[in-house]
């Protein structure tokens, strides 16, 4: 579909479209990417295990420092290879073994984030009933903030997370819209999903919401 076709057809089909957003929407708000976080985890682990001051490795854009850190982990033999898809969850869990610590770390990373232009557009579309259903794997509250900014209240939309999935399924079938589904929870969630073990199984109720939305949209 061309851009001009999308512009013509979107107003007619808006209520039947479910939107799925990944990490790129958070990066556009100035938050660190998964790759940035991987290197931060590596830096923390390396410095603590080798008794270096963190400040000595602040400049992670320096290839020499990255190479020094990576060589350390490569020497262990049973760690994920550089740029492996397993790195994020593997190093996150080593750096912060406790789910509570991982949640608190994410909360600190996300404090003070500003919605991007794209998030503001999403908020406007929500206000005008041109977006009714959002799915995201992100932990931040960008979409909630965008909705509140335009709708001025939380009473006009529902946010489903891993903590309220049973209620969320009922709200979804009651046709409460706009509806924002955070498939992996958010940084306040008790059941936050960000390690390989946690991600082996998706929350059944949130998965059912996604499944039904694909059938009906």
């Amino acid at each position: 579909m061309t851009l001009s076709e999308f512009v013509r057809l979107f107003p007619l089909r808006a209520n039947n479209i479910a939107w799925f957003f990944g990490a790129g929407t958070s990066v556009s708000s100035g938050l660190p990417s998964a790759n940035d976080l991987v290197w931060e985890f590596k830096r923390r682990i390396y410095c603590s295990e080798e008794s270096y001051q963190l400040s000595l490795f602040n400049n992670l854009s320096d290839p020499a420092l990255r190479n020094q850190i990576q060589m350390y982990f490569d020497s262990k033999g049973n760690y994920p290879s550089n740029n492996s898809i397993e790195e994020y969850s593997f190093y996150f869990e080593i750096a912060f073994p406790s789910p509570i610590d991982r949640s608190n770390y994410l909360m600190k990373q996300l404090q003070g984030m500003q919605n991007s232009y794209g998030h503001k557009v999403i908020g406007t579309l929500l206000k005008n009933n041109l977006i009714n259903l959002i799915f995201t794997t992100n932990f931040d509250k960008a979409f909630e903030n965008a909705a509140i900014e335009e709708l001025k209240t939380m009473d006009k939309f529902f946010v489903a997370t891993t903590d309220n999935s049973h209620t969320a399924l009922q709200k979804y079938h009651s046709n409460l819209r706009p509806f924002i589904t955070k498939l992996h929870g958010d940084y306040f969630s008790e059941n936050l999903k960000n390690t390989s073990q946690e991600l082996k199984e998706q929350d059944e109720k949130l998965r059912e919401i996604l499944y039904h939305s694909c059938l009906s949209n």
Side-chain angles (χ1 to χ4, degrees):
M1 180 182 294
T2 65
L3 177 59
S4 60
E5 288 174 327
F6 177 81
V7 170
R8 292 195 302 272
L9 295 175
F10 176 67
L12 301 176
R13 301 184 183 181
N15 290 334
N16 294 319
I17 296 176
W19 296 73
F20 197 111
F21 295 95
T25 55
S26 295
V27 172
S28 67
S29 295
L31 298 181
S33 67
N35 186 61
D36 293 334
L37 290 175
V38 165
W39 279 104
E40 176 59 22
F41 302 150
K42 288 180 180 180
R43 180 179 80 106
R44 287 174 176 268
I45 298 166
Y46 175 67
C47 288
S48 64
E49 293 185 356
E50 292 295 289
S51 300
Y52 287 123
Q53 291 184 3
L54 278 172
S55 59
L56 295 175
F57 291 83
N58 278 341
N59 185 16
L60 288 174
S61 62
D62 185 341
L65 292 183
R66 286 198 178 197
N67 186 58
Q68 181 176 341
I69 294 172
Q70 188 60 46
M71 287 179 63
Y72 171 77
F73 292 115
D74 288 344
S75 69
K76 292 183 174 292
N78 58 346
Y79 278 39
S81 59
N82 191 28
N83 295 322
S84 165
I85 60 173
E86 298 295 329
E87 281 196 303
Y88 175 83
S89 60
F90 181 86
Y91 286 110
F92 201 174
E93 191 164 15
I94 292 179
F96 304 103
S98 166
I100 294 176
D101 290 334
R102 291 196 295 273
S103 177
N104 288 337
Y105 176 80
L106 288 173
M107 182 169 60
K108 289 181 179 179
Q109 292 294 311
L110 301 174
Q111 283 180 346
M113 70 170 291
Q114 299 293 320
N115 280 357
S116 67
Y117 177 77
H119 287 120
K120 294 179 183 296
V121 171
I122 294 297
T124 300
L125 293 173
L126 288 168
K127 180 181 179 180
N128 289 281
N129 298 316
L130 291 173
I131 288 183
N132 284 318
L133 191 56
I134 290 175
F135 292 93
T136 180
T137 57
N138 296 344
F139 305 125
D140 58 67
K141 296 186 178 294
F143 293 112
E144 295 99 303
N145 293 340
I148 292 172
E149 184 175 341
E150 291 296 331
L151 300 174
K152 309 304 181 185
T153 177
M154 294 189 67
D155 296 334
K156 295 181 180 180
F157 67 96
F158 187 85
V159 180
T161 74
T162 51
D163 291 335
N164 67 353
S165 57
H166 282 77
T167 302
L169 183 60
Q170 297 171 3
K171 297 294 184 182
Y172 173 79
H173 285 304
S174 71
N175 208 36
L176 175 61
R177 303 290 187 273
F179 198 96
I180 301 170
T181 306
K182 307 182 80 168
L183 294 168
H184 295 167
D186 67 22
Y187 57 80
F188 283 139
S189 296
E190 293 182 6
N191 301 310
L192 184 66
K193 292 180 178 291
N194 56 17
T195 67
S196 295
Q197 186 62 37
E198 292 165 348
L199 290 168
K200 282 185 176 180
E201 293 185 3
Q202 176 61 49
D203 181 277
E204 291 184 4
K205 301 302 181 183
L206 298 186
R207 181 175 60 191
E208 186 173 345
I209 292 171
L210 178 61
Y211 173 76
H212 280 288
S213 74
C214 292
L215 293 178
S216 60
N217 288 289

